[in-house]
């Protein structure tokens, strides 16, 4: 009896373990699997619809949009054209370093110029790869060296023609056009200023047709070059002489090329300011001398006339005396 009871207990225990194992390996409910699958498909369709809606305009409108920029570091410049024929609209663009630019010519919405034929040119060469919207036309350029600088022109041609010019250039140095007039023994001061920070500054003087760097011929106590800030350079010429008369240049170096400015220095003698006064004094002296000489001549002529008159009167008196004696 005890053996039989032990066998029954062991069999029941094995049966329970088998049931638990079978229930753990039970396959998933088909209904639940279908529902989850359908829900996944619905989510996928929803995402696709959301993506299509976020794209914005219909394909016909999207063709007029500019190409999307992979690189966001693109500087945009725009010229607005009124559509009225006349001189080209110009825009100066200073570029100190390599960059990407987008140039856009936009036609005024109120313009009567409809559906123009648009051409882009660099100098006389046609530039391709244009993009457009409903009333604007653009080109994207990579400016990597000085060969890419220059004038880029958009030409809109219909029943009439209008155009705009973008002038891509290195920054220009601020300067005065008038010559610098100084005097012997004085000091000449030249200042170059620019709106960007160049890599370095260099000063030159003209020797015939060549430019000679002042840094290489810098005699002590004659030239002084001072960099007041990154964007301002100053040249001083001390104790001026006639030999310092001439043309001087300052140069600001940028990654895309140099920018130069010209100065003309005129050195005058100390007596130079007195020349007008001396000329006036000379003219006055000549005039006074002429007047004095004329008065002397007049007086002499008057005395000579009186003497001749006395002689005539004396002769007449002598004739009268002779005739009476007879």
């Amino acid at each position: 009896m005890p053996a039989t009871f032990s066998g029954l207990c062991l069999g029941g225990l094995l049966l329970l373990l088998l049931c638990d194992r079978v229930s753990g390996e039970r396959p998933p409910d088909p209904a639940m699997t279908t529902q989850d699958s359908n829900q996944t498909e619905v989510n996928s369709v929803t995402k696709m619809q959301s993506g299509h809606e976020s794209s914005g305009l219909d394909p016909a409108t999207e063709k007029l949009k500019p190409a999307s920029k992979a690189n966001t570091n693109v500087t945009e410049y725009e010229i607005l054209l009124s559509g009225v024929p006349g001189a080209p609209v110009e825009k100066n663009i200073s570029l100190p370093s390599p960059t990407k630019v987008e140039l856009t010519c936009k036609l005024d919405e109120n313009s009567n110029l409809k559906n123009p034929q648009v051409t882009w040119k660099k100098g006389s060469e046609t530039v391709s790869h244009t993009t457009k919207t409903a009333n604007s036309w653009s080109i994207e350029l990579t400016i990597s060296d000085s060969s890419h600088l220059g004038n880029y022109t958009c030409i809109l041609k219909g029943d009439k023609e209008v155009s705009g010019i973008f002038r891509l250039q290195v920054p220009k140095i601020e300067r005065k056009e008038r010559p610098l007039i100084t005097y012997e023994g004085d000091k000449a001061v030249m200042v170059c200023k620019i709106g960007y920070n160049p890599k370095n500054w260099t000063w030159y003087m003209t020797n015939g047709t060549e430019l000679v760097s002042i840094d290489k011929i810098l005699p002590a106590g004659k030239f002084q070059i001072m960099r007041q800030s990154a964007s301002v350079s100053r040249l001083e010429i001390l104790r001026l002489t006639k030999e310092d008369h001439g043309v001087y240049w300052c140069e600001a170096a940028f990654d895309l090329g140099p920018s130069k400015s010209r100065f003309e220095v005129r050195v005058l003698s100390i007596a130079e300011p007195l020349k007008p006064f001396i000329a006036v004094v000379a003219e006055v002296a000549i005039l006074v001398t002429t007047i004095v000489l004329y008065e002397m001549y007049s007086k002499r002529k008057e005395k000579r006339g009186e003497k001749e008159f006395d002689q005539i009167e004396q002769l007449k008196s002598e004739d009268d005396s002779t005739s009476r004696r007879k």
Side-chain angles (χ1 to χ4, degrees):
M1 184 66 183
T4 303
F5 180 77
S6 300
L8 288 173
C9 291
L10 182 60
L13 183 60
L14 291 173
L15 182 60
L16 289 172
L17 291 173
L18 180 62
C19 290
D20 291 336
R21 183 176 181 184
V22 170
S23 62
E25 293 179 357
R26 184 178 60 183
D29 189 354
M32 292 297 293
T33 304
T34 303
Q35 182 178 0
D36 293 341
S37 176
N38 291 339
Q39 183 64 35
T40 304
E41 290 178 0
V42 170
N43 292 339
S44 299
V45 171
T46 303
K47 290 179 180 179
M48 291 175 64
Q49 289 177 347
S50 299
H52 178 70
E53 290 175 357
S54 64
S55 64
L57 303 174
D58 59 291
T61 306
E62 287 181 345
K63 290 181 181 179
L64 297 176
K65 294 177 65 179
S68 60
K69 303 179 183 66
N71 184 1
T72 58
N73 296 325
V74 178
T75 308
E76 299 179 358
Y77 301 93
E78 182 181 282
I79 284 179
L80 180 62
L81 300 174
S82 63
V84 179
V89 181
E90 299 184 2
K91 192 178 192 70
N92 295 325
I93 302 173
S94 296
L95 300 175
S97 58
T99 186
K100 286 187 176 182
V101 297
E102 183 182 77
L103 309 180
T104 300
C105 282
K106 185 176 182 180
L107 186 62
D108 192 292
E109 295 179 354
N110 299 321
S111 171
N112 295 324
L113 185 62
K114 304 300 180 183
N115 301 318
Q117 181 181 358
V118 181
T119 304
W120 280 91
K121 290 188 174 183
K122 180 184 184 294
S124 59
E125 299 178 0
T126 301
V127 180
S128 58
H129 305 293
T130 61
T131 58
K132 66 178 182 178
T133 62
N135 64 333
S136 65
W137 297 262
S138 305
I139 56 172
E140 187 174 314
L141 306 170
T142 299
I143 310 299
S144 59
D145 56 49
S146 59
S147 65
H148 299 137
L149 300 176
N151 296 340
Y152 290 82
T153 307
C154 62
I155 304 171
L156 280 62
K157 185 179 295 185
D159 55 346
K160 48 193 174 183
E161 181 177 309
V162 295
S163 61
I165 301 177
F166 295 88
R167 302 189 185 277
L168 275 59
Q169 58 194 8
V170 294
K172 297 294 184 183
I173 296 174
E174 302 173 13
R175 67 182 184 91
K176 296 181 180 180
E177 298 291 336
R178 293 177 297 179
L180 179 62
I181 299 177
T182 56
Y183 299 96
E184 289 181 321
D186 205 345
K187 176 175 68 174
V189 178
M190 290 161 274
V191 178
C192 281
K193 184 178 180 181
I194 200 164
Y196 298 81
N197 294 340
K199 297 166 63 177
N200 57 68
W201 288 94
T202 307
W203 285 88
Y204 299 93
M205 64 182 301
T206 304
N207 184 11
T209 59
E210 297 181 354
L211 295 181
V212 179
S213 175
I214 292 178
D215 294 337
K216 296 180 180 179
I217 60 169
L218 196 63
K222 184 62 179 178
F223 296 97
Q224 291 183 356
I225 298 177
M226 293 171 285
R227 190 164 180 171
Q228 296 178 330
S229 67
S231 60
V232 180
S233 182
R234 174 188 177 105
L235 171 66
E236 293 185 0
I237 309 175
L238 308 177
R239 295 186 295 278
L240 288 167
T241 64
K242 284 288 187 179
E243 287 72 22
D244 297 321
H245 178 98
V247 176
Y248 295 80
W249 297 81
C250 70
E251 178 184 277
F254 294 96
D255 291 332
L256 291 177
S259 179
K260 291 183 178 180
S261 181
R262 179 180 182 273
F263 295 87
E264 182 182 355
V265 177
R266 298 180 182 177
V267 182
L268 307 178
S269 65
I270 299 177
E272 196 73 24
L274 300 177
K275 285 185 177 180
F277 176 75
I278 294 173
V280 172
V281 171
E283 290 179 359
V284 172
I286 292 172
L287 180 61
V288 170
T289 302
T290 302
I291 294 174
V292 170
L293 292 175
Y294 177 76
E295 289 181 352
M296 290 176 62
Y297 173 77
S298 299
K299 289 180 179 180
R300 288 180 180 180
K301 187 175 181 181
E302 184 179 352
K303 290 180 179 180
R304 187 179 300 170
E306 291 177 356
K307 186 176 181 180
E308 290 178 352
F309 179 77
D310 292 340
Q311 290 178 351
I312 292 172
E313 288 296 325
Q314 184 177 0
L315 291 173
K316 285 182 178 180
S317 299
E318 291 178 354
D319 291 339
D320 292 341
S321 298
T322 306
S323 58
R324 287 178 183 176
R325 289 175 182 176
K326 291 180 179 181

